[in-house]
Amino acid sequence: MSLDSSLYHFVQENGRTYHRYKEGRYFLPNDTAEQERLDLQHQLFTVAIGSKLNIAPIPENPGRVLDIATGTGIWAIEFAVQNPRSQVVGTDLSPIQPQFLPENCRFEIDDAEDEWTFSDPFDFIHGRALMSCFNDPSAVVRQGFENLTPGGIMEFQDALFPMSYIGEPPTESALYRWNEMMIDGVTRLGRSWSNVQHYKRYFEEAGFENIVEKRFYWPTSPWAKGKYYKTVAAYFQEDMLAGLEAMSLKVLGVLGMSSDEVREFVEDVKRDIKDTNVHAYLTVTYIYGQKPGHPI
């Protein structure tokens, strides 16, 4: 859709700003602090797979590329730079993307759960960190399939909540209680943070073939051994610390907690995230599938 100036008049709540278009559909903020966190999270998703943008075996310069829920647009921009002959489109509810872009990259304000109205199909569709975005992710997968060229590929990268633990779960810890309460809260908001476990089925039911699913594990602190896990943990911990309050204010608020109560609780959760004696980790899935037909 075209950009109406009113879309830049963001909703203010608890000292943060949120998207105006389809107000309330996405419950994380869109202000400068959140944009910085999203760019940090981009580094986390790429570092986890060897500093790559995707795991799917796509050729260089696929013709048309779509990035749904693009956020700040950093993935789309980097893909456009690396593939200068591709035409890259990013969509999101918030107009927070940069104004100065590669010539082969553009952004649109759109809700991926609405009917897709693109004039031409895509050769590659990408979506990342979608767990808070959709009421019905299976419908988004189906629309992705329908809007691919024969042989086109779609890849999702997403996290599975609640977190897991090495050994007995620390049920008395603030981090454990936060995970359980957040699952309850997002359910009341009409979402699920556990849909990732069904992504492969969604892809199969939509008609994808050659489906590949890989799982990665992100420790909350450098308790895990090895350079890879310590590097991932450093990024993931910073991502969590930066976003914890914002996501908690919105979600725990529906459980009846006041903003002051949420902020006090969040400080306890942050201490657990930093505690190397709490062996918690997040499971993250990277999955792709191909639409039947000739390869792109």
Side-chain angles (χ1 to χ4, degrees):
M1 64 174 294
S2 60
L3 284 183
D4 186 290
S5 62
S6 65
L7 297 180
Y8 291 96
H9 299 158
F10 299 138
V11 178
Q12 296 195 19
E13 185 177 331
N14 292 316
R16 307 298 297 268
T17 65
Y18 297 81
H19 65 94
R20 171 72 66 182
Y21 176 61
K22 293 202 170 185
E23 179 181 340
R25 287 279 293 137
Y26 180 67
F27 45 80
L28 288 178
N30 63 2
D31 51 26
T32 300
E34 176 64 6
Q35 292 173 41
E36 291 175 351
R37 186 192 72 83
L38 288 174
D39 286 349
L40 169 70
Q41 188 179 79
H42 169 75
Q43 300 302 324
L44 170 59
F45 271 97
T46 57
V47 164
I49 56 172
S51 298
K52 297 185 295 183
L53 295 176
N54 52 275
I55 65 167
I58 61 173
E60 291 184 5
N61 299 292
R64 282 174 49 81
V65 178
L66 174 65
D67 183 31
I68 61 174
T70 193
T72 64
I74 189 171
W75 185 95
I77 292 169
E78 289 193 7
F79 192 95
V81 170
Q82 293 180 19
N83 298 271
R85 294 194 300 278
S86 297
Q87 292 299 315
V88 183
V89 180
T91 63
D92 202 272
L93 294 174
S94 286
I96 57 173
Q97 299 77 34
Q99 297 297 311
F100 299 100
L101 302 169
E103 291 185 357
N104 60 328
C105 182
R106 63 183 175 87
F107 296 104
E108 299 178 3
I109 304 306
D110 204 0
D111 183 349
E113 285 202 276
D114 287 345
E115 181 181 358
W116 293 16
T117 57
F118 299 105
S119 56
D120 296 300
F122 295 92
D123 301 291
F124 182 45
I125 297 176
H126 169 266
R128 183 177 68 189
L130 305 171
M131 66 181 195
S132 297
C133 297
F134 307 130
N135 292 328
D136 186 1
S138 64
V140 177
V141 172
R142 290 194 299 272
Q143 291 214 82
F145 180 85
E146 293 166 1
N147 284 268
L148 279 170
T149 58
I153 291 175
M154 183 163 74
E155 176 171 324
F156 279 3
Q157 306 172 4
D158 218 345
L160 174 63
F161 272 83
M163 293 179 182
S164 301
Y165 307 88
I166 300 297
E168 287 295 318
T171 55
E172 300 302 315
S173 69
L175 179 61
Y176 181 91
R177 289 186 288 116
W178 178 83
N179 272 267
E180 298 300 304
M181 293 167 69
M182 290 293 284
I183 294 295
D184 186 11
V186 295
T187 300
R188 298 192 193 191
L189 288 168
R191 304 291 168 85
S192 171
W193 276 5
S194 302
N195 279 323
V196 175
Q197 63 188 318
H198 306 303
Y199 276 8
K200 186 176 182 180
R201 175 167 59 84
Y202 296 161
F203 273 59
E204 291 171 342
E205 291 174 350
F208 283 99
E209 60 183 18
N210 301 324
I211 299 169
V212 173
E213 181 179 30
K214 295 184 178 181
R215 292 194 168 182
F216 298 82
Y217 305 98
W218 296 355
T220 52
S221 71
W223 59 262
K225 296 180 180 179
K227 181 180 179 181
Y228 170 81
Y229 286 114
K230 291 189 183 300
T231 300
V232 169
Y235 279 98
F236 181 45
Q237 183 179 105
E238 188 60 32
D239 178 40
M240 285 294 296
L241 295 176
L244 196 64
E245 181 179 297
M247 70 176 78
S248 300
L249 281 169
K250 201 75 169 181
V251 177
L252 299 185
V254 304
L255 301 182
M257 295 181 70
S258 69
S259 56
D260 287 341
E261 289 173 331
V262 171
R263 289 188 174 99
E264 183 178 352
F265 179 47
V266 161
E267 291 306 310
D268 292 336
V269 180
K270 287 181 177 180
R271 279 191 285 273
D272 285 347
I273 290 174
K274 297 175 184 177
D275 189 347
T276 54
N277 292 313
V278 178
H279 293 176
Y281 64 91
L282 186 66
T283 300
V284 182
T285 288
Y286 293 62
I287 182 172
Y288 66 86
Q290 185 173 34
K291 186 172 183 175
H294 296 292
I296 58 176

